[in-house]
Amino acid sequence: MKRILVTGGAGFIGSHLCGKLLDMGHEVICLDNYFTGSKRNIVHLLDNPYFELIRHDVTMPLFVETDEIYNLACPASPVHYQYNGIKTIKTSVMGAINTLGLAKRTKSKVLQASTSEIYGDPEVHPQHEGYWGNVNPLGPRACYDEGKRCAETLFMNYHEQNKVRIKIARIFNTYGPKMNANDGRVVSNFIVQALKGNDITIYGDGTHTRSFQYIDDLLDGFVKLMDTPDSFIGPVNLGNPVEFTIRSLAEMVIEMTGSKSKIIYLPLPQDDPKQRKPDISLAKKELNWAPTVDLETGLARTIEYFSKTI
Ligand code: NAD
Ligand code: UDP
């Protein structure tokens, strides 16, 4: 049994991860400041004696004893990370410094939840880990993208200078139950709009693409990455390589919900990446990992969740 800290543990991905790690027989400390997460996501775990909850902001140092750390604390949807860009940068950068300092003191292994936003609006397709990216450092997405890029740099420096055992996961668009219904991400937006009979809001003409990964696949990738030998640190892409246009996603959601909603087209936000699809050959080779849940199956589970909760 290991004692594992999950920062951002009350969020969408973090709450699923806390549940999985407890099921695997570990002790879990969930840390969150509830900016975008919610106690509702982890309330079912509170009776478990091996689960602890800490209200804390990762921009402040933390003293606990741990064996492993998953650093997930950071708002992830454009609406939420742009709400207070300065705070988003502080969370990524100071959060990384505090988490790495903790890992250094406790000799914990630490996994960083990085992102496909490292690649910005990519000119290389699909995106492989060797691509340095195309990020506008001054645009509306920069607080998130550059914060996460700096966090990767900090992880690498703590590894090289202080021998901290690190893992860097570059996560591509992930969806599933417990997404925040109001956070503006495309899967939750379209499902909620379809279930309520509201207009489905496509930004741009709907020809831009994303590749959608179901939460269970990501969690498998996380655990496999954490278990790799110390010599493997990544970065490694974790995403589903099947690419969809945003318009085809809207049509799938309308069909699967039997909704009468109509599609409307709104302006595409500045710097919105036009295409995104992970090259997962490194994850296949080093983690023996590939996603197993197709979009239709994952959407069905997510639609069922939102139809009970909204
Ligand atoms: P989320 O918003 O549901 O979860 C983030 C959690 O971090 C929330 O519970 C929030 O309250 C907490 N948090 C935010 N700032 C904090 C702070 N200063 N101190 C403590 N807690 C703080 O988002 P998510 O989708 O679960 O994303 C989790 C992580 O995965 C993020 O780091 C995100 O950047 C990364 N990621 C997610 C995706 C995705 O598609 N979901 C893709 C790439 C990367
Ligand atoms: N999007 C959309 N309608 C919405 C929400 C998002 O067309 O109601 C688009 C958005 O412009 C982007 C894609 O869907 O091109 C994915 O957006 P999301 O916010 O989920 O993630 P990210 O842009 O960070 O990949």
Side-chain angles (χ1 to χ4, degrees):
M1 181 192 258
K2 289 176 188 146
R3 187 180 301 138
I4 303 179
L5 170 68
V6 180
T7 77
F12 158 52
I13 296 174
S15 58
H16 285 281
L17 180 62
C18 288
K20 183 177 176 91
L21 295 172
L22 287 168
D23 288 347
M24 289 168 67
H26 298 298
E27 199 176 322
V28 173
I29 303 173
C30 168
L31 176 154
D32 212 291
N33 71 347
Y34 305 113
F35 173 46
T36 51
S38 161
K39 261 197 188 165
R40 240 172 300 128
N41 289 336
I42 34 98
V43 74
H44 61 293
L45 304 175
L46 289 175
D47 286 340
N48 188 322
Y50 297 108
F51 183 70
E52 273 175 66
L53 193 54
I54 305 178
R55 180 186 287 265
H56 184 83
D57 194 306
V58 283
T59 59
M60 309 296 281
L62 174 74
F63 291 85
V64 287
E65 304 311 314
T66 55
D67 301 305
E68 287 179 357
I69 306 168
Y70 289 82
N71 185 36
L72 272 60
C74 186
S77 87
V79 173
H80 283 143
Y81 69 63
Q82 289 170 22
Y83 171 75
N84 181 346
I86 297 169
K87 177 70 192 202
T88 299
I89 299 174
K90 284 185 181 171
T91 295
S92 273
V93 176
M94 295 165 70
I97 291 171
N98 291 326
T99 304
L100 286 158
L102 177 66
K104 182 180 164 191
R105 182 181 61 79
T106 57
K107 300 192 168 39
S108 298
K109 213 181 327 180
V110 54
L111 184 150
Q112 166 68 356
S114 191
T115 165
S116 52
E117 286 284 325
I118 295 290
Y119 306 120
D121 188 6
E123 291 157 326
V124 168
H125 195 70
Q127 294 78 54
H128 60 84
E129 292 84 351
Y131 177 47
W132 292 352
N134 177 37
V135 173
N136 173 1
L138 302 177
R141 300 175 85 99
C143 57
Y144 183 73
D145 298 9
E146 298 291 10
K148 288 282 187 181
R149 285 168 70 95
C150 183
E152 282 200 10
T153 310
L154 282 162
F155 267 70
M156 198 52 93
N157 283 318
Y158 270 77
H159 173 67
E160 286 173 351
Q161 280 176 239
N162 299 129
K163 308 288 172 254
V164 174
R165 293 178 296 153
I166 62 158
K167 311 281 177 191
I168 299 173
R170 289 191 181 150
I171 307 165
F172 284 63
N173 295 66
T174 304
Y175 69 98
K178 292 193 196 173
M179 287 181 92
N180 183 333
N182 304 315
D183 79 5
R185 282 187 269 193
V186 69
V187 174
S188 43
N189 259 15
F190 285 1
I191 293 176
V192 171
Q193 289 164 344
L195 290 174
K196 289 187 168 169
N198 297 338
D199 292 343
I200 307 277
T201 54
I202 289 184
Y203 306 152
D205 62 6
T207 57
H208 49 300
T209 69
R210 291 295 186 273
S211 306
F212 299 102
Q213 160 172 246
Y214 189 65
I215 179 71
D216 292 2
D217 284 329
L218 173 66
L219 298 185
D220 281 347
F222 266 5
V223 169
K224 285 188 166 173
L225 175 57
M226 192 61 116
D227 283 347
T228 50
D230 287 350
S231 55
F232 183 73
I233 62 176
V236 60
N237 291 337
L238 294 179
N240 191 317
V242 184
E243 187 180 11
F244 291 86
T245 64
I246 297 301
R247 192 187 308 151
S248 64
L249 174 72
E251 287 163 356
M252 268 179 93
V253 169
I254 289 174
E255 197 190 316
M256 289 179 71
T257 51
S259 173
K260 300 216 172 352
S261 293
K262 65 175 198 311
I263 291 177
I264 58 165
Y265 293 89
L266 300 175
L268 189 66
Q270 187 194 332
D271 296 342
D272 197 297
K274 288 180 271 307
Q275 54 182 0
R276 183 179 290 156
K277 167 186 162 124
D279 176 335
I280 59 163
S281 15
L282 185 65
K284 278 186 178 159
K285 178 168 166 271
E286 296 290 341
L287 316 183
N288 191 24
W289 172 90
T292 58
V293 183
D294 64 27
L295 184 57
E296 202 172 344
T297 308
L299 277 183
R301 293 180 198 165
T302 313
I303 290 168
E304 192 191 344
Y305 166 79
F306 278 115
S307 57
K308 287 186 192 144
T309 51
I310 55 166

